[in-house]
Structure formats: C-alpha cells, structure tokens
Amino acid sequence: MAQKVIAGNWKMNLNLEQSLELIEHLNTKEFDEDVRIIVFPPALFVQPISSLIEGDFEIGVQNFSQNNNGAYTGEISITQSESVGVTVGLIGHSERRAYNSESNELLKAKVNHAVVNNFDFIFCCGEPLSIREAGKELTFVKKQLQESLFHLTANQINGGIIAYEPVWAIGTGVTASSVQAEDMHKNIREWLTEVYSTDVANSISILYGGSCDVSNAKELLGCPNVDGGLIGGASLKAEGFSTIIQSY
Ligand code: PGA
C-alpha cells in the first residue's frame, strides 16, 4: 500500500511572523502517525520553522537546483536544503513550468539530481484547461511522466511520490471531481504497472492537488487511487489544513 501523504504548499505567501504562527498552531494538533505530513514554506523561512516544529512534520523546499553548490545566483541546492532540515523537494509544479519555463528536460535533470543525492521528491504533473477541453489529458500527463520520470529504474522510483494537479484546478476554486481525479490517478497507476510492476506501482503515492479544501477533501482523498493531497491555499490556515489531514 502506498503511504498516505498530505503536503502543504505555501507558495510565495506569508511573512515570517505568520509562518511561525501557523506552525505554532499546527503544533497544538494531533495527527494520525500513518500520514506523512510535509510543509513547503518559502525557503527563507525553513530554518526558523524547523527549530519550532514539534510534531512529525517534515519540511520541504518548493524548488531546488539541478546543480551542486556553485555559481548559480538565486538558486538553492539539495545539500544546502538538507543542512537546514529539509527532507524533500517539489519538482515541476505547474507554476514553475509556466513562470520559470521549466521544461520536461530540465525536470528530468532535477529528478536525476535528486536520485543521485538520495533526496525525496514529489513530482508534479497535470494538464492545462485547453488540453482537458480537447479530451487529451491522459496523453498529455503520460508524456510529462515519460519525459521526466519514467526513465528511472524500478529501484530509483520505488516508494516515490507523484502529484496530479490539473492546472485548471489550481487556485481557481474549481476542483476536479472525484471521478476525474480517480480516472487520472488510476491511469497513472496503470502506466507505472506497465513500465515497472504492480509492486512498484502500489508503492508510489499519487497525490491530488488543485483547490482541495475542507469541503471536498474527504471525497477526493476517499478515492481508491488517491493517496493524499498537495494543498495550496487551504494549507495556509492551521485549522483547515489540520482538518484536511484528519480527513483520513
Ligand atoms: P491550490 O494549489 O490548493 O491553491 O489550488 C495547489 C497547488 O498548487 O499545489
């Protein structure tokens, strides 16, 4: 069985004081030990947050460089991230693809760099609205996975995490229906079975992301092939984020 994961992607929101308040509030909550909980604050705040966190939360970075330390102005490396307590990084969020021109090829390099460094990652995929309207979402998402992820060996991908985030559902308040989410997740699981094996496919957590909040989390997370959520806006409020984690 794939591990249940709930991750909060804060994006470029909150200042330091608000970030610490959110963590202090989360510290007062109790969560099921079976759920892997990860927060992705702005990288600037990772260190103060990691000294404040009391529960079994992990801290992730929203992005990291495909290079080792060196002359890459504005970038952060895996080793730097690990040195302040980060255990996992996002790869290929649709906002990075759209605003930072991150191509499937570049994302493949990040995947490889993470694997070489034994650094956990959540690989994000998902189609824009025009592709969904044309009925080509399966082909589109499969290509993203084929070009950036499916070159890994079974050992390398085993136990990994994929997040399906339809672009049209991110930050829009329009969520995928549980039928749409389950359909894509089931297909991703089938592709993993074809490329690797049933065992590998079942070891990979496939998260849903895109306007997932307290009103729809139970239904989305209840789908057989949805192993968790990557939560944006709704992860910025401790009460709502806790309720989503407790939906399991
Ligand atoms: P949202 O964002 O929950 O605000 O739609 C999800 C994400 O982009 O990870």
Side-chain angles (χ1 to χ4, degrees), residues 5-25:
V5 181
I6 301 285
N9 176 12
W10 297 5
K11 308 191 182 185
M12 199 171 73
N13 290 300
L14 307 182
N15 61 27
L16 178 60
E17 197 186 337
Q18 292 164 331
S19 302
L20 297 181
E21 265 174 32
L22 177 48
I23 294 298
E24 269 170 356
H25 198 155

Side-chain angles (χ1 to χ4, degrees), residues 92 94 97 124-128 137 140-141 144 163-167 184:
S94 63
R97 293 176 188 260
C124 305
C125 57
E127 81 287 355
E137 64 276 8
F140 185 92
V141 170
Q144 288 182 323
Y164 168 59
E165 300 204 299
V167 179
M184 180 61 78

